[in-house]
């Protein structure tokens, strides 16, 4: 059984709307920014739905552990979007790269790649007589063709 510290030991935030200080690869997240607020909600979700009736849940419920996920979380350098409407596509791109064990940094992809990703996803998801194959969507060939 994992303990609380194991559960929150390797949490990273990739926020395409939050720019780290120039030259920094990672930093402690700013508690008032959106990423850490979502992490706290994720901790509540895990406590409520994943660790109910477990020792981890008991630890997460203690007052001193209310936002323990923020103690080890790191905001990481990642590509930045140039608009306010591509958040989900940047998130998808990050997930695709992480699923392929490809590390993310500010040069991993750019806004033009995201535009290509949008078009590619639209094409794959709207083809008639073709059910999108999740394995094909997540294949390294698909990822590499847009990123």
């Amino acid at each position: 059984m994992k303990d609380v510290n194991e559960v929150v030991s390797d949490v990273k935030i990739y926020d395409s709307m939050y720019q780290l200080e120039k030259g920094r690869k990672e930093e402690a997240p700013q508690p008032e920014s959106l990423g850490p607020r979502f992490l706290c909600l994720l901790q509540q979700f895990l406590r409520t739905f994943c660790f109910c009736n477990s020792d981890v849940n008991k630890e997460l419920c203690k007052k001193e552990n209310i936002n323990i996920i923020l103690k080890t979380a790191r905001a990481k350098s990642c590509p930045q979007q140039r608009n306010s409407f591509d958040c989900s596509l940047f998130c998808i791109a990050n997930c695709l790269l992480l699923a392929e064990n490809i590390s993310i940094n500010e040069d991993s992809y750019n806004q033009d790649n995201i535009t290509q990703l949008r078009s590619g996803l639209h094409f794959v998801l709207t083809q008639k007589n073709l059910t999108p194959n999740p394995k094909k969507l997540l294949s390294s060939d698909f990822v590499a063709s847009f990123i």
Side-chain angles (χ1 to χ4, degrees), residues 8-65:
V8 299
S9 68
D10 194 27
V11 177
K12 296 176 180 69
I13 301 171
Y14 297 97
D15 188 343
S16 63
M17 297 288 284
Y18 176 77
Q19 183 87 38
L20 298 184
E21 280 186 41
K22 188 89 171 144
R24 297 197 71 177
K25 300 290 181 202
E26 71 176 38
E27 63 186 35
Q30 303 299 317
E32 68 282 351
S33 65
L34 200 53
R37 292 193 331 228
F38 278 123
L39 282 179
C40 292
L41 291 173
L42 173 64
Q43 180 177 321
Q44 288 177 350
F45 174 85
L46 292 172
R47 187 183 73 225
T48 305
F49 297 106
C50 299
F51 298 120
C52 54
N53 299 322
S54 72
D55 291 340
V56 170
N57 185 48
K58 290 174 189 164
E59 287 297 311
L60 288 173
C61 289
K62 290 181 179 177
K63 186 174 183 174
E64 66 269 18
N65 290 334

Side-chain angles (χ1 to χ4, degrees), residues 84-142:
S84 60
F85 53 83
D86 279 337
C87 301
S88 59
L89 290 166
F90 273 77
C91 183
I92 290 169
N94 288 339
C95 289
L96 291 171
L97 291 174
L98 292 171
E100 291 289 326
N101 288 321
I102 299 170
S103 62
I104 297 171
N105 62 52
E106 62 275 357
D107 299 318
S108 295
Y109 55 89
N110 60 40
Q111 190 73 47
D112 293 334
N113 300 127
I114 293 299
T115 300
Q116 292 172 337
L117 177 62
R118 178 188 297 105
S119 298
L121 286 171
H122 180 265
F123 175 77
V124 169
L125 295 173
T126 59
Q127 286 186 22
K128 293 186 184 340
N129 302 322
L130 179 66
T131 303
N133 179 343
K135 288 184 179 181
K136 184 177 180 181
L137 270 178
L138 294 176
S139 75
S140 55
D141 290 340
F142 182 81

